[in-house]
Amino acid sequence: MKTLVSLISFLAILLVALPGPLYKFGILELGPAFTALRYGVFAGIGAIVLILIQVIFLRKNISWANVAVSAIFALVAVGLPLSIMSKAKSVPPIHDISTDLTNPPKFIAIAPLRADAPNPVEYAGEETAKQQKEAYPQLTSQIYSEPSSQVFSATEAAIKELGWELVNADKSLGIIEATDTTAWFGFKDDVVVRIVTSGADTIVDIRSKSRVGRSDLGKNAERIQQLFTTINNNL
């Protein structure tokens, strides 16, 4: 029983931990990667059941150290995917977020990089805008009193500080484009920042869009907020 529990819990953690890197490096397609995650949850649940049987009925013959390690593996294998599912249910199933819903910033240099992406470069549309308004009402255009050149430099520096790949920085157009690659699955999400002068003020709009997936699990909204926070710190 001890060996069986160890094997199942170890298998469970592998099925949950490995799909991300395997997809990231092109070894596994996205569909099979998510299937492996699902099986990892099932294996984790099985391991937890066996651990409980051990603790309740075979207490005299078990190694508590082995049980502890197996339980940690099993709980992580079950808890991590379930937390992702819970996050998905708490946010709208959208993947294109913009602070300007009427005239979203357009991707220029990044557009060719998204040519083969499942999610097209064009803005997702009115239904997405409606869902964004309800879920993220705080995401709006930001107005700065500093000149546009200063805001542009602060934004470019912020993108570098966040570790994103800077694709385009055109000061004459007031456009900065970048790509953020997620750590686990290596999903590429693209960002475009539009900086314009309006009288004595500078208006900044940011759009962040995933290349794949229907729902971004709230990541694009978080990314926009993170960028604004870093820009503010730089200013």
Side-chain angles (χ1 to χ4, degrees):
M1 175 71 81
K2 179 176 71 175
T3 302
L4 179 62
V5 170
S6 297
L7 287 175
I8 294 178
S9 61
F10 186 63
L11 175 63
I13 198 68
L14 287 181
L15 286 171
V16 168
L18 290 182
L22 291 177
Y23 171 79
K24 183 176 183 178
F25 293 107
I27 300 172
L28 204 62
E29 294 294 329
L30 191 57
F34 284 153
T35 298
L37 278 175
R38 186 162 56 249
Y39 282 124
V41 174
F42 294 154
I45 292 173
I48 291 172
V49 171
L50 291 177
I51 289 171
L52 291 175
I53 291 174
Q54 272 191 307
V55 172
I56 295 173
F57 299 107
L58 304 171
R59 184 176 302 181
K60 294 181 180 180
N61 300 318
I62 64 175
S63 167
W64 288 106
N66 182 76
V67 167
V69 173
S70 297
I72 291 172
F73 283 173
L75 290 172
V76 171
V78 174
L80 184 58
L82 290 183
S83 69
I84 294 174
M85 290 175 59
S86 176
K87 178 69 173 179
K89 292 180 180 179
S90 68
V91 298
I94 56 179
H95 56 261
D96 194 348
I97 305 297
S98 174
T99 56
D100 186 343
L101 300 175
T102 304
N103 181 29
K106 292 180 174 61
F107 293 107
I108 301 174
I110 280 178
L113 304 180
R114 297 181 61 101
D116 298 325
N119 296 332
V121 71
E122 293 79 17
Y123 182 63
E126 293 183 7
E127 181 57 33
T128 291
K130 179 181 177 182
Q131 293 184 66
Q132 180 187 320
K133 283 182 181 179
E134 295 175 355
Y136 313 114
Q138 76 281 7
L139 292 181
T140 59
S141 306
Q142 297 296 297
I143 301 175
Y144 295 92
S145 58
E146 292 83 357
S148 60
S149 58
Q150 184 178 347
V151 176
F152 190 97
S153 298
T155 302
E156 190 174 1
I159 287 173
K160 293 178 180 178
E161 289 172 27
L162 292 170
W164 303 350
E165 178 188 355
L166 183 64
V167 177
N168 177 36
D170 191 327
K171 186 171 288 189
S172 64
L173 294 178
I175 293 293
I176 300 177
E177 297 172 89
T179 298
D180 180 22
T181 303
T182 62
W184 187 16
F185 271 80
F187 293 129
K188 290 186 179 297
D189 298 341
D190 297 310
V191 179
V192 55
V193 185
R194 183 178 63 206
I195 302 169
V196 298
T197 300
S198 178
D201 297 322
T202 299
I203 301 177
V204 177
D205 282 294
I206 303 175
R207 179 181 170 201
S208 181
K209 180 166 186 171
S210 305
R211 294 190 188 181
V212 300
R214 183 186 177 198
S215 173
D216 63 7
L217 304 180
K219 183 63 178 179
N220 286 303
E222 293 173 4
R223 182 178 294 111
I224 290 174
Q225 191 61 61
Q226 184 182 31
L227 181 53
F228 272 133
T229 298
T230 310
I231 292 171
N232 294 340
N233 290 339
N234 287 342
L235 289 173

